[in-house]
Amino acid sequence: MTTEATAPKFKPFTRQTITQARQWQWLAPELQEAVQVISHVLPFRTNQYVLDQLIDWSNVPDDPIYRLVFPHRDMLPAREYEQLRDLVLHKKDEAAIAKLVHEIRMRMNPHPAGQMTHNVPRVNDAPLKGLQHKYKETVLFFPSSGQTCHAYCTFCFRWPQFVGMDELKFDARETTELVSYLETHPDVTDVLITGGDPMIMNTRSLAEFIEPLLGPKLAHIQNIRIGTKSVAYWPQRYVSDKDSDDLMRLFEKVVRAGKNLAVMGHYNHAVELRSAVAQQAVKRIVGTGATLRMQGPLIRHINEDPKSWAELWTTGVRLGAIPYYMFVERDTGPREYFALPLARAHEIFQAAYSMVSGLSRTVRGPSMSAFPGKVVIDGVVTINGEKLFALQFLQARNPEWVRKPFFARYDPDATWLDHLKPAFGRQKFFFEAEEGEASLHGPAGRVIPIAQAPRQNDRRASDTQPDAA
């Protein structure tokens, strides 16, 4: 074990400080410019471990982890980039910069899949700040002190949490309302603590959010999940941070209380699990009795190689982790830069799946976390001469939809559920509303209780994307 005196210290870099990193001088001027310009729109944060251990600087800008954390000019349309570049580098008009940045952000669909309008529960007709409840078994909780990350992914669908858009932010300062809500919802079995990244908190703060969930009044809570990218971006959190041993004891406490503690580890590329410290982190987590489930989206420019996915899953299994989900990149942020056609996504998943043993085939995908639920692409088939996508819900707002197969016309260019058309000449999918019925969207900004979540033939599905719940 690394001693505290020699343990690496977490050192983050932002737009204001990245010039202090020695690697900054290795970047061509146009790459430096892109960081300074685009980071006014999208959050930029990395750290010394990512810079030193994960990025192959001889392969920049094509290195996948570089593209994962460093902004690129093609993440904005050329016209927007030139406008913003002129304001940032030449006119330096802060008011004009703020106005343009806001316009760009609002164009980027900052909260997809009804997160603000349909996922927020309410008590006494008031919304509960920092909670989401989309699926009846699972509640998402956003602690305010976990609303940052060790490094930011350029594709992140939670980017509004990090850019000062307070009106679009989910955060809760304590667990009182969460516990009260859970006490009155015995159907809830899972609490997902998410962010941001809860593992940015020290162990004492994290315990203040977790320990109230262990009491006898919440015996129906079986699973406590922690969504985190720290396993890849700062695995020292579990190995050599000054309170990493305390963190392991907290995990053990949850397990002793009879709960399953599931660390939902976000991995995007095999390189994130190659280092000794990253592998040691996995072993320490599972050694507490907790589980570590591996998930991440399929992203153009980052992880299109099936071999990388196969290596990631097989390495994880060897260390004791469980492959869980390959997601389709959500329709938010610079999605035009990252999105892949669904047909290509299925090809990549199928190729990776065929390379691994049954122990790695716990993974599911490619899965779209869309407005009505998690829709997986099961395959491409031909029925009565018609080429189709075979689809099903793995999770849904209406539990009756789960595992119900349905078909869509094959479209080689479609990148999301709302691009697809029903098969066999039908006008609507089975989960869409009949003509004249209310839209799932509801009025702008509306907050509804989970009890009013849509039922079959009740409302019209549209929009896109949820959480790894």
Side-chain angles (χ1 to χ4, degrees):
M1 178 67 65
T2 305
T3 65
E4 186 172 330
T6 60
K9 298 295 189 293
F10 176 69
K11 185 177 182 180
F13 295 98
T14 63
R15 179 178 76 242
Q16 290 78 14
T17 61
I18 186 60
T19 56
Q20 300 171 16
R22 61 191 177 91
Q23 289 91 346
W24 180 253
Q25 305 306 320
W26 304 348
L27 295 179
E30 62 270 19
L31 298 180
Q32 293 179 345
E33 175 190 286
V35 173
Q36 296 297 331
V37 173
I38 301 294
S39 61
H40 279 78
V41 175
L42 300 170
F44 171 66
R45 177 177 164 103
T46 188
N47 67 64
Q48 198 67 61
Y49 172 77
V50 173
L51 297 179
D52 290 346
Q53 300 294 322
L54 299 186
I55 295 175
D56 177 2
W57 291 92
S58 68
N59 191 34
V60 168
D62 295 326
D63 175 78
I65 305 302
Y66 178 83
R67 288 188 182 271
L68 189 60
V69 295
F70 278 82
H72 296 253
R73 67 176 297 155
D74 290 344
M75 291 177 184
L76 291 182
R79 182 184 60 83
E80 285 184 351
Y81 181 86
E82 292 302 328
Q83 281 183 290
L84 186 58
R85 177 184 181 276
D86 183 53
L87 289 174
V88 169
L89 301 182
H90 301 297
K91 295 180 180 177
K92 300 182 180 180
D93 183 336
E94 295 300 326
I97 292 172
K99 182 177 183 294
L100 178 58
V101 164
H102 180 75
E103 292 172 356
I104 294 171
R105 286 173 177 170
M106 298 311 294
R107 172 188 62 76
M108 287 182 163
N109 189 21
H111 269 306
Q115 292 185 91
M116 296 293 290
T117 58
H118 288 71
N119 294 2
V120 179
R122 59 197 300 167
V123 171
N124 297 326
D125 206 33
L128 295 182
K129 186 175 175 61
L131 271 70
Q132 288 188 31
H133 191 176
K134 178 174 181 177
Y135 306 126
K136 71 181 182 70
E137 304 91 352
T138 306
V139 166
L140 276 64
F141 180 63
F142 298 75
S144 59
S145 49
Q147 298 311 308
T148 186
C149 297
H150 292 92
Y152 293 145
C153 297
T154 44
F155 70 84
C156 182
F157 82 98
R158 290 261 170 79
W159 58 271
Q161 297 284 101
F162 316 130
V163 295
M165 300 175 72
D166 291 342
E167 73 280 10
L168 298 179
K169 191 172 184 177
F170 293 100
D171 62 339
R173 298 194 178 280
E174 43 88 51
T175 59
T176 303
E177 288 187 335
L178 170 66
V179 171
S180 297
Y181 184 77
L182 295 175
E183 287 177 352
T184 59
H185 288 76
D187 287 344
V188 175
T189 59
D190 292 43
V191 175
L192 170 57
I193 304 173
T194 184
D197 193 329
M199 298 313 303
I200 203 77
M201 292 187 280
N202 61 40
T203 301
R204 185 185 69 258
S205 297
L206 182 63
E208 290 175 355
F209 291 107
I210 289 180
E211 289 175 347
L213 305 178
L214 307 182
K217 291 185 177 180
L218 297 182
H220 57 288
I221 302 300
Q222 301 172 16
N223 306 299
I224 297 173
R225 312 186 198 180
I226 301 175
T228 182
K229 182 68 181 179
S230 60
V231 287
Y233 281 167
W234 187 247
Q236 291 86 347
R237 182 70 191 89
Y238 308 90
V239 176
S240 59
D241 276 5
K242 63 181 181 180
D243 63 344
S244 60
D245 289 345
D246 294 335
L247 179 63
M248 297 301 100
R249 287 192 287 269
L250 175 61
F251 287 3
E252 290 169 350
K253 181 176 182 178
V254 175
V255 174
R256 284 197 307 270
K259 312 288 187 183
N260 170 43
L261 178 66
V263 176
M264 316 304 290
H266 296 203
Y267 293 95
N268 297 104
H269 195 276
V271 71
E272 295 173 328
L273 199 48
R274 287 176 188 163
S275 72
V277 67
Q279 297 192 11
Q280 189 178 1
V282 175
K283 292 179 179 179
R284 294 204 81 198
I285 291 169
V286 299
T288 67
T291 58
L292 173 61
R293 294 180 183 266
M294 311 171 69
Q295 60 187 27
L298 177 61
I299 318 165
R300 189 159 59 100
H301 304 298
I302 307 295
N303 52 19
E304 299 173 71
D305 184 1
K307 293 179 181 177
S308 175
W309 285 99
E311 178 190 340
L312 178 64
W313 297 334
T314 55
T315 302
V317 167
R318 176 173 57 81
L319 297 170
I322 304 167
Y324 188 49
Y325 269 118
M326 176 197 281
F327 288 109
V328 175
E329 165 61 0
R330 295 178 184 243
D331 63 335
T332 183
R335 189 167 189 270
E336 295 81 2
Y337 183 82
F338 288 120
L340 282 165
L342 298 177
R344 177 61 180 150
H346 176 260
E347 289 175 358
I348 293 170
F349 179 84
Q350 186 176 41
Y353 199 81
S354 69
M355 297 177 188
V356 300
S357 76
L359 292 177
S360 294
R361 292 183 180 178
T362 52
V363 68
R364 297 172 290 181
S367 173
M368 291 175 280
S369 286
F371 185 91
K374 288 188 175 69
V375 177
V376 69
I377 305 163
D378 270 338
V380 177
V381 299
T382 301
I383 300 177
N384 294 332
E386 185 177 359
K387 193 174 184 180
L388 308 169
F389 284 118
L391 309 161
Q392 65 172 300
F393 283 100
L394 296 178
Q395 183 60 283
R397 291 184 184 274
N398 182 349
E400 296 174 9
W401 300 345
V402 175
R403 304 295 293 189
K404 186 172 182 177
F406 64 102
F407 298 89
R409 296 180 216 165
Y410 180 81
D411 182 344
D413 299 318
T415 60
W416 196 249
L417 180 64
D418 59 4
H419 299 163
L420 299 179
K421 304 297 182 185
F424 312 125
R426 294 174 180 169
Q427 297 303 306
K428 297 178 182 293
F429 291 111
F430 76 90
F431 52 86
E432 292 183 308
E434 296 300 326
E435 191 68 31
E437 292 185 359
S439 167
L440 271 174
H441 285 298
R446 183 180 176 212
V447 179
I448 65 170
I450 191 66
Q452 295 181 18
R455 304 290 292 175
Q456 184 174 349
N457 294 328
D458 194 26
R459 303 171 183 232
R460 186 171 188 271
S462 49
D463 208 316
T464 46
Q465 266 170 285
D467 320 276

